[in-house]
């Protein structure tokens, strides 16, 4: 397993980024401003993570995704651990925003994140069409943090 930092050609990763965030216009807003980490196993790309600096104390995970056929093998957890290690010396907090999806919230909470904020109707107000996950329309944005 190898995690590579991607500094150029970030748009080449659009296919996997769209798994974590299905709105390409949204992805394009943060992609160039983000640090991109790609996880390869036997030279095969399995997972991606985009991280953006918010302020001198905070970084935000903007995108985390694993291709469906490579899930449940610890790749996203390995990327999260890599990101914590990488930023823990220079930043206080890692935050991320996600839709109200039980599976996703459970995934992050099990890995040490706690809820600290909620933006009502974020997905209704900021996306040009309704976003559904597991058959449920996403409305509020839930913010999680890990100190
Ligand atoms: C969430 C996701 C990144 C996990 O990737 P992964 O490489 O399978 O993660 P790991 O193998 O480290 O961990 C597997 C965990 O993910 C959970 N999981 C599986 N499918 C999931 C899904 N569609 N959504 C959320 N969590 C999921 C598993 O239940 C497992 O949880 P557990 O270990 O706590 O029991 C991956 O399922 C994914 O890309 N989902 C779609 C995009 C997404 O929802 N991204 C998160 C919001 S940005």
């Amino acid at each position: 397993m190898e995690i590579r930092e991607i500094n150029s050609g970030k748009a080449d990763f659009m296919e996997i980024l769209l798994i974590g965030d299905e709105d390409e216009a949204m992805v394009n807003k943060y992609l160039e401003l983000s640090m991109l980490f790609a996880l390869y196993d036997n030279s095969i790309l399995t997972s991606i993570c985009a991280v953006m600096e918010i302020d001198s104390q905070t970084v935000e995970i903007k995108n985390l995704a694993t291709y469906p056929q490579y899930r449940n093998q610890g790749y996203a957890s390995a990327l999260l651990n890599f990101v914590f290690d990488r930023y823990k010396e220079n930043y206080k907090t890692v935050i991320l925003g996600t839709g109200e999806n039980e599976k996703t919230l459970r995934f992050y909470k099990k890995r040490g994140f706690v809820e600290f904020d909620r933006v009502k109707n974020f997905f209704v107000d900021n996306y040009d069409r309704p976003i559904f996950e597991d058959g449920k329309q996403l409305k509020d944005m839930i913010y999680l943090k890990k100190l």
Side-chain angles (χ1 to χ4, degrees):
M1 194 159 83
E2 181 201 357
I3 294 173
R4 294 184 202 155
E5 180 169 348
I6 310 299
N7 294 307
S8 61
K10 291 176 185 171
D12 295 348
F13 292 82
M14 190 54 77
E15 181 188 78
I16 188 166
L17 286 162
L18 289 171
I19 295 173
D21 184 346
E22 63 183 76
D23 188 316
E24 191 163 353
M26 279 286 194
V27 175
N28 278 321
K29 277 190 200 165
Y30 59 74
L31 190 54
E32 284 312 315
L33 300 169
S34 297
M35 288 135 308
L36 201 60
F37 302 102
L39 190 151
Y40 293 83
D41 200 356
N42 287 320
S43 301
I44 295 169
L45 174 68
T46 68
S47 311
I48 198 83
C49 185
V51 182
M52 192 170 89
E53 181 185 67
I54 301 298
D55 58 39
S56 62
Q57 306 198 25
T58 315
V59 290
E60 178 171 347
I61 294 175
K62 303 297 290 184
N63 197 313
L64 177 67
T66 295
Y67 278 123
Q69 64 271 38
Y70 302 118
R71 284 182 192 162
N72 296 311
Q73 297 175 53
Y75 295 132
S77 301
L79 266 175
L80 276 182
N81 287 337
F82 175 87
V83 166
F84 295 141
D85 274 358
R86 171 82 173 227
Y87 294 104
K88 71 179 177 206
E89 269 181 26
N90 296 318
Y91 295 87
K92 234 170 80 184
T93 316
V94 178
I95 66 167
L96 64 91
T98 177
E100 196 161 20
N101 174 307
E102 277 313 313
K103 260 203 246 168
T104 310
L105 290 172
R106 204 177 321 120
F107 172 80
Y108 287 118
K109 285 179 180 174
K110 200 169 161 184
R111 286 155 182 85
F113 284 87
V114 292
E115 274 181 51
F116 73 96
D117 201 7
R118 173 186 290 256
V119 179
K120 278 258 164 223
N121 287 321
F122 178 89
F123 288 94
V124 179
D125 297 340
N126 288 284
Y127 285 76
D128 53 15
R129 64 201 145 84
I131 306 287
F132 286 88
E133 255 181 37
D134 296 338
K136 195 174 161 228
Q137 189 184 351
L138 299 184
K139 291 189 173 157
D140 299 352
M141 175 79 99
I142 315 280
Y143 280 96
L144 304 169
K145 69 174 172 185
K146 184 167 160 157
L147 298 173

